[in-house]
Amino acid sequence: MDISPSAMANLALSMQSANTNATVGTLMLRKSLNLASSEISSLMQSVSPQLATSGTLGTQINTYA
């Protein structure tokens, strides 16, 4: 099976392009997951429950559902 040099070059370029596209997609996914993670972390910190400081209810045991 003979493959012409131009066909081989075209195949190599298309494989390189596919590899570049996959790399870019992976980087974009990683950045979006990192952004979502930081947003969730800040959201969770902003809704931290206020614990009871006086009285008989909620001052001895601290549980979360």
Side-chain angles (χ1 to χ4, degrees), residues 9-27:
N10 288 338
L11 178 63
L13 288 175
S14 67
M15 289 176 64
Q16 183 180 13
S17 175
N19 187 23
T20 302
N21 290 341
T23 302
V24 168
T26 303
L27 289 174

Side-chain angles (χ1 to χ4, degrees), residues 47-54 57-64:
V47 294
S48 63
Q50 300 298 319
L51 303 177
T53 57
S54 64
L57 187 61
T59 58
Q60 302 299 317
I61 298 175
N62 184 13
T63 61
Y64 295 98

Side-chain angles (χ1 to χ4, degrees), residues 30-51:
R30 183 182 301 158
K31 285 186 177 194
S32 65
L33 289 175
N34 287 341
L35 179 63
S37 174
S38 67
E39 288 177 1
I40 291 296
S41 294
S42 66
L43 179 65
M44 293 300 289
Q45 288 175 356
S46 70
V47 294
S48 63
Q50 300 298 319
L51 303 177

